[in-house]
Amino acid sequence: DHMAGEVQRQQAEILASRENLARLNQTLEAAVEARTRALAESEAKYRVLVESAPQGIAILQAGRIVFTNPALERMTGRGAGELKTAEFDVGSLFSSESRTAVRTALLGTDAGGSQVPVEIQHAGGRSVHAELQVAPLLFQNEPASMILLSDVSTLRDLQDRLVRGEKLRALG
């Protein structure tokens, strides 16, 4: 009789444990679902931000471009497929005068580094004046560098016109 009572008590404990486990599992599933939804929303916001950014963005790993945004493709006149090939030389995006500054910026350890004036060689032959900024980051759990390029061609043209206008005014 004592044995039967003990068995019933243990069965009741097992049942209570299973019910408790089922409740905890539901709570955990709800939390995972909420976090998954929040992550998906965050990724969608990030994607919209990066894809619509006016700055050209590239991510380099081991000397290769592994990510680009549409602004970079417009600035360079090259598609993502060409830019991300293993054979593509990142230095070829820049004028020969800018390549040393680009290499120095890429080797730098200045997190969020300073802006470096560079000249992009557009695939169509024209030059694009830009400011380059390099920041270290982890991309897909591997060390990488993010390159940000801001097109300053219009600003540069306006500055040149202003200087010419001031020179003409000074002459007479």
Side-chain angles (χ1 to χ4, degrees), residues 39-55:
L39 179 60
E41 287 175 15
S42 176
E43 287 175 350
K45 289 175 190 174
Y46 166 79
R47 189 173 297 110
V48 167
L49 178 67
V50 169
E51 296 296 321
S52 62
Q55 289 83 16

Side-chain angles (χ1 to χ4, degrees), residues 116-153:
V116 177
V118 295
E119 191 175 314
I120 298 169
Q121 287 305 125
H122 189 277
R126 66 184 170 92
S127 293
V128 178
H129 295 283
E131 288 184 347
L132 172 124
Q133 196 168 4
V134 177
L137 69 121
L138 284 179
F139 183 74
Q140 297 177 342
N141 295 321
E142 294 292 328
S145 296
M146 179 175 60
I147 294 178
L148 294 171
L149 287 163
S150 300
D151 185 341
V152 295
S153 297

Side-chain angles (χ1 to χ4, degrees), residues 31-84:
V32 167
E33 187 177 311
R35 286 187 177 159
T36 301
R37 194 171 34 256
L39 179 60
E41 287 175 15
S42 176
E43 287 175 350
K45 289 175 190 174
Y46 166 79
R47 189 173 297 110
V48 167
L49 178 67
V50 169
E51 296 296 321
S52 62
Q55 289 83 16
I57 300 172
I59 296 179
L60 271 69
Q61 279 181 326
R64 279 190 61 220
I65 296 176
V66 294
F67 173 86
T68 64
N69 74 339
L72 183 80
E73 295 168 33
R74 284 189 300 276
M75 274 185 209
T76 64
R78 294 168 176 88
E82 177 185 354
L83 292 167
K84 295 192 309 189

